[in-house]
Amino acid sequence: MKRTLLFVFIVVAALTSRAQDSELPAQKYSVATGSFWSNWFVQADLTASSFFGDRGNTPTAQLSSSLTKDFRTRMGFSVALGKWFTPGLGLRTRFGGLWGRTVVSADKDINASRYWTLDEQVLFNLSNMFCGYSDTRRLNIIPYVSAGLGRNLSYNTYAMGLGLGLLNEWRLSPKASVHVDLSWRAYEPDFDGAGGQVFARGLRGKDQVLSFAVGLTWNLGSGSFNRVKDEDALNILIESQMEALGAQLQDAQMENERLRKLLEHSEQRPQPAPAP
């Protein structure tokens, strides 16, 4: 009996360990967050920006509102450092510039200026929020809100700004992704160095920037979260293995009982007399 109990204990322990190490279904929305140093990323991209200074938006300016006019648009770049705290929530610090437009005329050379912006952005990965976390998903849709500071180097002015954006990442490998970033930011009138309109209200009194960026995202470290295994599935697996073990033990006991009865029956049969 003691040997049987010891055998059962050893088998149960082995089954439990095997179940825990096996591939079990993971909880769709549950992950284990890592340390502070995990899930960091860097980004670099080229940008095309269209500038809408408050002076250039007045009716008397008579300037085209087209996004593609050369007196509004200019190429630039941006770099960023960010971290995902959860699969759905992250922060990104983004620096951009350096060539812009102070829109006061239809002449691109007159409008040329230099600037930089520094924004802190809160990222929301909607793909992970609504479809569950996956570190192999190809496309991630990530809207964000931002607040930051802009400086016009040509006119030596500063301005605070707020903005919205949409980041779309396409996964190439566990380390790298390409992205397309659309953003809109509105700054105080000093951003473009041209001063503000008198009695301007709403967005007409703001310096606005629309940007389109294409670039590369590089994950530092693993760049992924560890899944939390489904405890219910683990318990069901262990229970099913215990039931199978119980059935095997019962079959073994029945076989032992049958053999014992056969042995007793053979011992009770009369032995043939020895030959003379």
Side-chain angles (χ1 to χ4, degrees):
M1 184 64 179
K2 291 182 179 180
R3 291 182 179 179
T4 302
L5 293 176
L6 179 59
F7 172 75
V8 172
F9 175 79
I10 294 174
V11 171
V12 170
L15 290 177
T16 304
S17 176
R18 180 179 179 184
Q20 291 176 341
D21 294 337
S22 61
E23 290 295 330
L24 294 173
Q27 295 185 23
K28 188 175 182 180
Y29 297 98
S30 298
V31 296
T33 56
S35 68
F36 174 79
W37 303 109
S38 61
N39 302 109
W40 287 84
F41 62 89
V42 293
Q43 293 178 325
D45 50 44
L46 296 176
T47 63
S49 298
S50 185
F51 297 83
F52 288 78
D54 59 302
R55 287 290 181 181
N57 292 332
T58 61
T60 57
Q62 298 181 350
L63 298 176
S64 172
S65 60
S66 172
L67 296 177
T68 59
K69 291 296 182 179
D70 59 1
F71 66 84
R72 291 191 183 276
T73 61
R74 207 161 186 191
M75 298 298 295
F77 75 95
S78 68
V79 291
L81 173 67
K83 172 179 170 59
W84 288 104
F85 294 92
T86 71
L89 181 64
L91 290 178
R92 179 174 70 167
T93 302
R94 192 179 189 192
F95 175 86
L98 283 168
W99 306 277
R101 301 288 188 197
T102 297
V103 183
V104 293
S105 73
D107 188 324
K108 67 177 183 178
D109 294 327
I110 293 176
N111 292 352
S113 63
R114 297 177 67 243
Y115 77 102
W116 57 256
T117 59
L118 184 64
D119 297 298
E120 191 65 28
Q121 301 171 338
V122 183
L123 311 176
F124 305 92
N125 190 321
L126 297 186
S127 300
N128 285 334
M129 286 182 174
F130 292 100
C131 301
Y133 172 66
S134 173
D135 55 4
T136 59
R137 182 181 290 114
R138 287 295 182 184
L139 178 64
N140 284 285
I141 300 174
I142 308 169
Y144 60 87
V145 295
S146 66
L149 175 69
R151 170 169 166 74
N152 191 305
L153 300 173
S154 299
Y155 294 91
N156 195 28
T157 57
Y158 291 88
M160 303 297 294
L162 300 174
L164 301 171
L166 180 63
L167 174 65
N168 298 276
E169 286 190 344
W170 181 264
R171 179 180 181 273
L172 300 178
S173 70
K175 286 286 189 181
S177 303
V178 294
H179 64 256
V180 173
D181 196 325
L182 304 175
S183 65
W184 166 83
R185 288 163 290 167
Y187 292 93
E188 294 302 317
D190 289 338
F191 174 68
D192 65 357
Q197 297 183 51
V198 180
F199 305 119
R201 295 182 179 180
L203 291 178
R204 282 190 174 274
K206 306 295 182 182
D207 293 333
Q208 303 175 57
V209 183
L210 295 174
S211 297
F212 174 83
V214 178
L216 178 68
T217 300
W218 186 264
N219 295 321
L220 303 177
S222 64
S224 62
F225 292 87
N226 294 324
R227 291 179 174 275
V228 176
K229 291 186 176 181
D230 193 333
E231 293 183 359
D232 293 335
L234 175 62
N235 293 333
I236 292 174
L237 178 59
I238 293 176
E239 184 178 351
S240 64
Q241 292 178 339
M242 289 292 295
E243 290 177 354
L245 175 61
Q248 292 177 359
L249 290 175
Q250 186 176 5
D251 291 342
Q253 290 175 353
M254 294 176 61
E255 180 65 17
N256 290 337
E257 183 65 19
R258 186 182 68 84
L259 294 175
R260 185 183 64 81
K261 290 181 178 180
L262 287 177
L263 181 60
E264 292 180 351
H265 181 70
S266 64
E267 290 177 349
Q268 293 175 0
R269 291 177 58 185
Q271 300 295 325

